[in-house]
């Protein structure tokens, strides 16, 4: 027999769900509309994926799902990790809205994840003329105050435009212990970044370098000016100020910009200032959007910074898919290594 228990963390009233024919229903001595299903079937081999679906809960309701199994030798196994857990702020790319796919996968790996939208979502501005770093500082402070989040610091997962935001957070804000930057830029891009009395301007572009490919989509890979040019260095993010560990994941066929070049710049900058070398992984034939494993390869898509024109983002489909699998073996391991004291002690 296998039993699941859902704990309503608002009312602290447990609801025990007993397995029967693929559906879990409340036990007779409990009254609740909640029920849980195993999909696609309650009968499957151990190497087959299974999905747990809970229905009948209120929107925004906080619950804890516990599992207990007694085997044929009357040995009981329990599944419920009381915390605290390492915390991570997860951000996506330009275009607005909220993307939670990456955050959900990290949560499945045992992290408390705050998926953070930074414009174009609910009451946030639909269009942006600047970013205020205080908004991101508030997010870090909120995450660190949660009792479920392990001290002392949190991690940041970023991709594309959110990469330079993550670098800025790590450089100017306290409480950041580990940062993953996937195909990000070494300079502030798109709009100015404000923090207190400081402003980092955005790296300029040269639209004359936009080209049209044979298939009719735009190639913008050379549009961003070189951030290392003397006239552009005010846009560079001073990552030597950061006290965290970095993982830079970059694609050799990035059609959005020169992410490999930016990673080389950042690595040299850290080294020149006596900082630890970052972890750098290069995927020579992958494209810009390295997402979670087995997601479709995004070779072309509309680009918010190009007037929603269709842009080539690069990448060989097979190599890109392999890169996504490899990267998502590295990301949880990197965060566990630098955020989870128990994991580090176990490795010693």
């Amino acid at each position: 027999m296998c039993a699941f228990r859902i704990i309503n963390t608002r009312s602290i009233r447990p609801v025990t769900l007993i397995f029967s024919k693929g559906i879990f229903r409340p036990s007779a001595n409990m009254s609740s509309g909640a029920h849980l299903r195993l999909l696609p079937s309650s009968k499957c081999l151990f190497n087959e994926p299974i999905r747990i679906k809970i229905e009948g809960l209120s929107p925004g309701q906080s619950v804890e799902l516990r599992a207990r199994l007694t085997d044929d030798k009357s040995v009981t196994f329990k599944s419920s990790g009381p915390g605290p857990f390492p915390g991570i702020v997860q951000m996506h790319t330009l275009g607005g809205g909220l993307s939670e796919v990456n955050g959900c996968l990290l949560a499945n790996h045992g992290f408390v994840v705050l998926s953070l939208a930074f414009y174009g979502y609910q009451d946030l501005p639909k269009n942006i003329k600047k970013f205020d770093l205080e908004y991101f500082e508030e997010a870090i402070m909120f995450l660190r105050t949660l009792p479920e989040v392990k001290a002392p610091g949190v991690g940041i997962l970023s991709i594309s435009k959110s990469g330079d935001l993550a670098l800025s957070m790590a450089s100017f804000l306290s409480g950041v212990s580990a940062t993953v930057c996937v195909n990000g830029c070494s300079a502030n891009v798109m709009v100015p970044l404000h923090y207190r009395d400081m402003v980092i301007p955005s790296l300029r572009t040269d639209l004359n370098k936009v080209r049209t490919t044979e298939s009719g989509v735009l190639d913008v890979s050379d549009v961003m000016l070189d951030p290392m040019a003397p006239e552009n260095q005010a846009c560079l993010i001073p990552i030597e100020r950061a006290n965290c560990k970095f993982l830079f994941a970059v694609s050799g066929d990035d059609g959005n910009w020169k992410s490999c070049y930016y990673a080389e710049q950042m690595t040299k900058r850290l080294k020149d200032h006596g900082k630890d070398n970052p972890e750098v992984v290069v995927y020579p034939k992958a494209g810009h959007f390295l997402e979670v494993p087995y997601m479709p390869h995004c070779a072309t898509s509309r680009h918010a910074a190009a007037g929603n024109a269709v842009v080539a983002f690069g990448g060989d489909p097979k190599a890109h898919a392999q890169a996504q699998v490899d990267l998502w073996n590295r990301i949880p391991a990197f965060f566990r290594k630098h955020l989870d004291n128990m994991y580090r002690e176990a490795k010693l």
Side-chain angles (χ1 to χ4, degrees):
M1 180 192 75
C2 182
F4 281 84
R5 169 173 280 196
I6 297 178
I7 303 296
N8 183 338
T9 58
R10 290 181 178 175
S11 64
I12 317 298
R13 183 170 62 89
V15 178
T16 301
L17 303 176
I18 308 299
F19 172 71
S20 175
K21 296 183 179 180
I23 299 179
F24 289 77
R25 300 191 183 280
S27 57
N29 61 339
M30 292 291 178
S31 60
S32 172
H35 63 278
L36 184 151
R37 301 175 62 196
L38 295 181
L39 300 173
S41 170
S42 62
K43 296 181 179 180
C44 62
L45 300 177
F46 70 84
N47 66 324
E48 295 178 339
I50 190 166
R51 186 161 61 97
I52 300 174
K53 184 176 182 180
I54 304 174
E55 298 174 324
L57 301 175
S58 302
Q61 182 178 356
S62 298
V63 298
E64 178 183 355
L65 180 64
R66 299 178 180 178
R68 185 179 71 248
L69 172 68
T70 302
D71 68 8
D72 55 358
K73 296 182 179 180
S74 299
V75 176
T76 300
F77 296 86
K78 297 180 180 180
S79 174
S80 62
F85 306 97
I88 296 173
V89 176
Q90 175 259 320
M91 302 180 294
H92 209 241
T93 185
L94 197 70
L98 179 67
S99 176
E100 299 177 305
V101 175
N102 294 352
C104 289
L105 183 53
L106 280 174
N108 286 336
H109 281 279
F111 299 94
V112 176
V113 183
L114 173 60
S115 293
L116 184 65
F118 43 90
Y119 80 102
Y121 181 74
Q122 293 186 351
D123 61 345
L124 293 174
K126 292 184 179 179
N127 300 300
I128 48 169
K129 296 182 179 180
K130 67 172 184 174
F131 282 120
D132 292 302
L133 200 58
E134 286 87 351
Y135 172 77
F136 302 91
E137 185 174 38
E138 184 179 350
I140 291 176
M141 293 172 61
F142 167 77
L143 186 61
R144 295 181 68 196
T145 59
L146 296 179
E148 297 87 355
V149 174
K150 183 175 292 186
V154 300
I156 305 175
L157 173 62
S158 62
I159 182 173
S160 192
K161 164 57 193 174
S162 66
D164 60 85
L165 291 172
L167 296 175
S168 299
M169 293 164 70
S171 300
F172 294 104
L173 307 181
S174 61
V176 179
S177 297
T179 301
V180 175
C181 181
V182 180
N183 286 326
C185 184
S186 56
N188 181 55
V189 298
M190 307 302 177
V191 295
L193 179 70
H194 291 240
Y195 184 55
R196 297 176 181 173
D197 58 352
M198 176 203 71
V199 178
I200 299 181
S202 59
L203 183 63
R204 295 176 298 140
T205 59
D206 183 356
L207 298 182
N208 292 321
K209 294 184 177 180
V210 176
R211 295 176 289 130
T212 303
T213 67
E214 293 182 357
S215 59
V217 301
L218 299 184
D219 180 344
V220 299
S221 57
D222 293 322
V223 167
M224 304 298 296
L225 298 184
D226 185 356
M228 294 303 294
E231 64 272 20
N232 297 327
Q233 291 193 12
C235 306
L236 288 169
I237 299 166
I239 58 173
E240 69 276 2
R241 294 172 52 111
N243 292 315
C244 71
K245 302 295 184 180
F246 288 104
L247 169 60
F248 300 142
V250 293
S251 298
D253 193 31
D254 188 344
N256 189 66
W257 51 31
K258 302 181 184 304
S259 54
C260 288
Y261 174 54
Y262 301 146
E264 292 173 0
Q265 293 175 7
M266 292 186 285
T267 300
K268 184 178 185 302
R269 184 170 186 134
L270 290 170
K271 183 178 179 180
D272 289 346
H273 286 84
K275 296 286 185 172
D276 292 339
N277 287 333
E279 295 184 33
V280 181
V281 55
V282 181
Y283 299 105
K285 295 183 179 180
H288 183 64
F289 286 113
L290 289 173
E291 298 285 5
V292 297
Y294 313 117
M295 292 289 282
H297 170 223
C298 181
T300 61
S301 182
R302 297 189 180 276
H303 200 309
N308 279 329
V310 179
V311 168
F313 286 110
D316 170 76
K318 181 178 180 180
H320 190 92
Q322 293 171 335
Q324 291 184 155
V325 173
D326 181 80
L327 178 60
W328 274 91
N329 284 326
R330 295 175 183 269
I331 288 175
F334 174 80
F335 282 131
R336 279 193 294 268
K337 178 180 178 181
H338 298 296
L339 298 179
D340 194 337
N341 292 326
M342 292 180 62
Y343 175 81
R344 289 198 297 266
E345 291 170 359
K347 294 289 285 186
L348 290 177

